[in-house]
Amino acid sequence: MGTELLAPLDLAFWHLETDAHPMHLGALAVFSPAPAPAPGVTADTVVELLGARAAAIPRLRMRVRDVLLPVGGAAWSVDKDFDVCRHVQRVLLPRDDESPDGGFMAGATRLAGELMERPLERGLPPWEMYVISGADEGPFAVLVKLHHALADGMRAVAIGAGIFDEIASLGARARGGVSARRARPVPPRSWMPGPRQVAGFALGRLEDLSRAFGVGASVVWASRLDLRGAPALTAISSGTRRLATAELDGESVRRIRRIVGGTTNDVLLGVVAGALRRWMVERGERLPVADPRALVPVSRRRPGTGATSGNRLSAYLLGLPVSESDPWERLRTVRTAMDRNKAAGPLRGAGAVAVLADQLPSLAHRFGAPLAGSAARMLFDVLVTSVPLPRSALSLGGCPLRAVYPMAPLARGQSLAIALSTYGGRVQIGLVADGKAVPDLERLARCAEDELRELLDLLPVGQPSQRSR
């Protein structure tokens, strides 16, 4: 792999980052001990295994460096001094966190929050992995951090999947099959345009600017709406991070979807709205005058094209109906709004800001990043994203994967981001918050579980199938 320019949206994520606003996404993967008869799997052997597999993924050996052309641009290039030991480390849980009162999961989540605070070192390939374990050979967790410039959710899954036993073995066989056919290395791709490319480049920029104008007008129009969101979701950043996790039964979510219609993601967004309402009421807060707005990322990757490098994102804008007291009406409202978003497409509304970023020149991202970061709170109040995971059972060193909690980055001026994924018949929710603005994040996680239980309790009442009309 040679040199490759960062796509405009990747460059935007790269320049949006500050020390107080790291732009990495992540996942906390929890593993059970290896079943008999597979003894000898320790945290240290897991670290070695992770290092070997991560080093075999070409994308993880690349760092970002500035280039002369295009002005303000940057490119991926191979790190000639790459040392995987600088990226994969073991972290031992304090003994207090291993106590029955704290539990492994509580301790691992707390420690992962501290690790997520730290920005990735920009001179190195922008990723890290931490093996979080106790002193014994019990359960362990792996925290993966990938810079958003490196990957969106789907690309992150494709990269991260390479560490698992089932997928790493397939990759090793594939590499073995193609290496013999490669007589010469592939030359690096140049970022310098040739003479015959200049005219085409100019025409392409005119088309990009025209497209950007249309998308930009849509973003501005949407941002003129009433933006008085929930006070609990906006705050001056303290630079701290707190994590919390929740789990929902996947079959219960599907039961509700079969009754109310829509998609599974619509139901989960309704659960998030109900959880936020419960949380605000328990805190003694007044419900906001205007419902908070969620940015719901949407992949623009075409089916069957694979997880190519870079970010391919747009998003929908959704008002979370926290002011609505009826749980079923909340679900109906969310479904109606999402149907409307899908009918309009991903190039309309404030959610299209990612598409707009993909049309702008490199120099605009380099100098406009501070303004763009500050404007995020004008467009939305909370990020709610769903991350697709493989459906098959996965393991690492023979240790079964128990759960994966995705983690999304926080935008400047916002205090909460919510990510959801489904694995093993369970919906795992990862919540990332500003540690000082939201010290009671665990309460919000519990509210999500309580919301699903209430919906299940209400299933037999009346004729809920009519509520979807």
Side-chain angles (χ1 to χ4, degrees), residues 28-43:
L28 185 65
V30 183
F31 296 85
S32 299
V41 179
T42 65

Side-chain angles (χ1 to χ4, degrees), residues 218 222 225 265-266 269 293-298 314-320 333-352:
S218 178
L225 301 176
N265 197 51
D266 293 345
L269 289 167
R293 302 204 300 182
L295 194 72
V296 183
V298 179
S314 183
Y316 294 136
L317 196 67
L318 172 69
L320 295 172
T333 300
V334 166
R335 179 191 170 185
T336 300
M338 288 301 289
D339 285 347
R340 187 166 54 247
N341 277 329
K342 293 167 191 173
L347 300 183
R348 292 291 179 267

Side-chain angles (χ1 to χ4, degrees), residues 6-87:
L6 269 71
L9 185 54
D10 303 343
L11 193 63
F13 285 128
W14 187 250
H15 289 310
L16 277 171
E17 182 171 68
T18 66
D19 288 343
H21 303 91
M23 287 303 298
H24 51 255
L25 44 83
L28 185 65
V30 183
F31 296 85
S32 299
V41 179
T42 65
D44 290 333
T45 59
V46 170
V47 170
E48 293 178 7
L49 186 61
L50 274 177
R53 290 178 179 174
I57 300 173
R59 176 60 62 178
L60 297 185
R61 302 176 68 93
M62 304 192 78
R63 66 182 183 89
V64 176
R65 65 181 182 86
D66 293 338
V67 296
L68 293 177
L69 292 175
V71 178
W76 293 105
S77 62
V78 175
D79 183 1
K80 297 179 180 179
D81 299 319
F82 177 76
D83 181 1
V84 75
C85 295
R86 302 170 77 174
H87 299 267

Side-chain angles (χ1 to χ4, degrees), residues 2 14 31 34 42 54 106 109 115 144 160 169 192 199 206 229 242-243 258 312-313 329 350 372 394 429 445-446:
W14 187 250
F31 296 85
T42 65
T109 305
L115 295 171
V144 180
S169 60
M192 292 288 290
L206 287 175
R242 190 176 185 89
L243 305 186
R258 286 192 291 267
R312 296 288 297 164
L313 291 173
E329 186 63 21
L394 300 172
I429 306 176
R446 190 189 68 245

